[in-house]
Amino acid sequence: MASAPSSTPSACRTPRAPGAIHQPDTARDLVKILVTGPFGVGKTTLIDSVSEIRPLHTEEHLSEASARVDDLDGVRDKATTTVAIDFGRISLPGGVVLYLFGTPGQERFRSLWDDIAYGALGALVLVDSRRLDASFDVLGLVEDSGLPYAVAFNSFPDSPTHHGEERLRRALDLEPSTPLVTCDARDANSSIDALLALVDHLITRDPAEAR
């Protein structure tokens, strides 16, 4: 992997253009990253906000049948859900290209996890501070897979503001070395900052692979 990007986040994203699907000529390191988290946490939104190509989404409308098995607590306004993957791409300075794979957030799609995670170097786990307990299963999957990861709290209009970092770390049982950031998945620069936190973590935890 290339050295840690040093440019400002706003310089990282190539404007999306019609037909801009080809890999950049400057690409040297191609990195598969999972964007994961519980149902309704903003994974599709984050990938859509940063992708330099037209993102691939596999969304379907929530039905009455799915409402009986999916926990809609805290996301009552959500009308669609990812049923396979979301996919996007972003080029970072130094020739690093991130291929972003968004995972479904419901337990019923757990059988897809191993296939989607295969070959990934790390994961960005999105968390909703209004419903921390919804993140435990996904964090368990990431840890069981052995993937290094960073945690990003996606900001919602009614997100609590009284949680301190140490309190959140304890609540999620995070290691001190696990990056913990706050982002707004709707904002490209904020989302890129979260991805850069993960990339920096991948580089610093394994210098041999970074070279």
Side-chain angles (χ1 to χ4, degrees), residues 1 31-33 98 120-123 147-150 179 195-210:
M1 186 182 293
V31 182
K32 180 179 180 179
I33 296 294
L98 303 185
L121 289 190
L147 286 175
Y149 65 95
L195 289 167
L196 287 176
L198 172 61
V199 171
D200 286 342
H201 180 52
L202 295 177
I203 291 171
T204 57
R205 73 183 297 274
D206 193 344
E209 186 172 336

Side-chain angles (χ1 to χ4, degrees), residues 13 18 26-27 30 42 50 63 69 72-73 80 86 91 93 112 132 136 143 158 168 176 182 186 209:
R13 186 177 184 232
T26 56
L30 311 181
V50 303
S63 64
V69 295
L72 298 179
D73 187 31
T80 61
D86 293 315
S91 300
L112 295 174
L132 292 177
F136 296 157
E143 291 175 351
D158 57 343
L168 291 171
T182 300
R186 300 167 298 180
E209 186 172 336

Side-chain angles (χ1 to χ4, degrees), residues 1-2 7 10 12 49 55 63 67-68 71-72 79 82 96 120 122 129 141 148 155 167 177 189 198 206:
M1 186 182 293
S7 300
S10 60
C12 294
S49 74
S63 64
R68 290 194 290 268
D71 184 4
L72 298 179
T82 298
V96 178
S129 60
L141 275 175
S155 298
R167 181 177 180 183
S177 60
N189 286 343
L198 172 61
D206 193 344

